[in-house]
Amino acid sequence: MQSREALLVRVSELYYEQGMSQQTIAETMGMSRPTVSRLLDEARDCGIVEITVHSPLKKEPALSARLRLEFGLRDAVVVSGSYDYDKATRRCAQAAGDVFRAVVDSGMTVGISWGRAMRAFCQQFPQQDHIYHVRVVQMIGCLGTGNPHLDGVELSLTLAKKLNGTFRNVYAPVYVDSELVQSYLLREPSVEQAIRQARQADVVVSGIGALSDPNGSLFSAGYFDEQERHTLADAGAVAILQGRLLDREGMEICTPGKFVVGAELDDMRQAKWRIGINAGASASTATLAAVRSGCINLLVVDEPLARAMLEENGTPYQG
């Protein structure tokens, strides 16, 4: 009996590599054209054929400039188009990688967080051949989800390799339930060294979490349940940045029973470049809070989020 996989491979080769039409393949292989079409669909579904569309990442320069001026940012990048969250985040992460390459240099210290935006950023960022000795440091403790792509440990390692440098992590949970445990962990040598290095970051790259997002990293990791989320929202919290909660004006809100093991927001504000990545119009309130906190001075967002931020600020963009 003919191998199904071999058949799928051969039909795919004739169609994609040799440029044969489906009708010609049908005549060559002794089958109907609809059968060829079904075989090509099956080859894609089972992974024999992978299609990559190389589409240039289009940006909105006028909207970017408006965002920069309106919110006093050092720079802003708005990625064109409206997509679902995952795709929009990947596009924004790619654009953030482009601006990151323009500001990072050999010998610098780069601080990072964790989460979906950072995973997309680190995975897509290309290997650099002319940059060396960059120190990548995780600024806060791990999520502890068991997923190395989200927790931060794997992210710092991945980015350090691509920058031909070293990495250091905060080997502790992002939150502990007592101030005594927090103070003990902050004095632990490896944690203390990581945070000391984070305070010297030249560039910080971070995602921006929204308290309204039940699929956010902290909620997925079980640090907050639905009731706590509503309680914090009633207290004025709208955003999560480096594990810390912010109100609409960017002021930090203390969270009872949640003591952060990591660098302070003031440490983030000391970095020359503070890159924030986010996507989706629903994240406008959280992103505005992060910008108002002074912890972000280079914002990379998609077009729906940029427009929603200006609308919420009372200065809608008409372009």
Side-chain angles (χ1 to χ4, degrees):
M1 180 179 291
Q2 185 181 29
S3 165
R4 186 71 173 180
E5 181 177 351
L7 177 60
L8 294 174
V9 169
R10 186 56 185 156
V11 169
S12 299
E13 287 174 340
L14 294 174
Y15 185 75
Y16 291 105
E17 296 181 353
Q18 298 189 27
M20 280 190 183
S21 68
Q22 292 186 19
Q23 184 59 46
T24 302
I25 295 172
E27 293 169 358
T28 300
M29 301 293 291
M31 58 184 67
S32 68
R33 193 203 61 76
T35 298
V36 173
S37 179
R38 288 194 295 271
L39 289 171
L40 291 171
D41 288 341
E42 184 179 342
R44 289 195 295 271
D45 291 342
C46 70
I48 288 175
V49 172
E50 295 181 354
I51 298 176
T52 302
V53 178
H54 295 282
S55 175
L57 199 62
K58 185 181 177 184
K59 303 179 181 70
E60 296 290 331
L63 185 52
S64 300
R66 175 68 181 279
L67 215 62
R68 174 176 56 82
L69 294 172
E70 193 69 39
F71 299 113
L73 295 163
R74 186 165 185 170
D75 200 357
V77 176
V78 177
V79 180
S80 298
S82 179
Y83 301 89
D84 63 75
Y85 175 80
D86 287 338
K87 184 171 182 178
T89 299
R90 289 195 300 270
R91 287 166 61 83
C92 289
Q94 181 183 343
D98 292 340
V99 297
F100 177 69
R101 280 190 291 168
V103 301
V104 72
D105 203 355
S106 296
M108 282 187 172
T109 298
V110 176
I112 66 169
S113 60
W114 30 243
R116 292 171 291 177
M118 287 308 304
R119 175 181 60 181
F121 175 85
C122 293
Q123 286 180 341
Q124 293 186 120
F125 188 75
Q127 179 69 42
Q128 300 301 293
D129 296 327
H130 306 295
I131 296 178
Y132 300 93
H133 309 304
V134 172
R135 296 172 293 276
V136 178
V137 57
Q138 177 191 9
M139 298 191 71
I140 47 176
C142 300
L143 287 171
T145 64
N147 184 343
H149 299 298
L150 290 177
D151 283 350
V153 177
E154 185 75 16
L155 299 183
S156 55
L157 169 61
T158 298
L159 189 58
K161 284 182 176 179
K162 293 179 177 181
L163 292 169
N164 305 299
T166 60
F167 71 99
R168 187 179 291 276
N169 292 311
V170 176
Y171 292 108
V174 59
Y175 296 124
V176 291
D177 58 9
S178 81
E179 195 168 7
L180 179 63
V181 175
Q182 179 198 42
S183 63
Y184 171 79
L185 286 172
L186 291 175
R187 291 196 304 271
E188 199 278 327
S190 67
V191 173
E192 190 275 332
Q193 289 172 16
I195 294 175
R196 184 179 347 117
Q197 197 170 90
R199 289 173 179 149
Q200 300 169 353
D202 302 286
V203 185
V204 174
V205 187
S206 180
I208 302 167
L211 192 68
S212 60
D213 180 10
N215 297 314
S217 299
L218 288 172
F219 301 106
S220 298
Y223 281 104
F224 296 105
D225 58 28
E226 192 66 18
Q227 182 177 346
E228 287 175 310
R229 190 162 71 90
H230 287 298
T231 299
L232 291 168
D234 290 341
V238 297
I240 305 168
L241 188 66
Q242 299 283 0
R244 301 178 187 275
L245 274 70
L246 306 175
D247 66 14
R248 288 177 176 270
E249 300 306 314
M251 301 298 293
E252 186 174 352
I253 294 178
C254 293
T255 311
K258 297 282 194 303
F259 296 90
V260 178
V261 181
E264 303 281 347
L265 290 181
D266 275 344
D267 298 323
M268 187 174 179
R269 294 184 184 103
Q270 300 306 310
K272 182 177 181 180
W273 293 100
R274 307 181 291 278
I275 303 173
I277 307 167
N278 215 354
S282 62
S284 61
T285 301
T287 309
L288 281 169
V291 168
R292 289 167 179 163
S293 74
C295 293
I296 303 295
N297 67 0
L298 199 169
L299 186 65
V300 184
V301 296
D302 66 346
E303 188 175 351
L305 176 51
R307 291 180 178 274
M309 288 176 65
L310 292 167
E311 183 75 31
E312 186 171 337
N313 195 54
T315 54
Y317 181 72
Q318 303 299 334

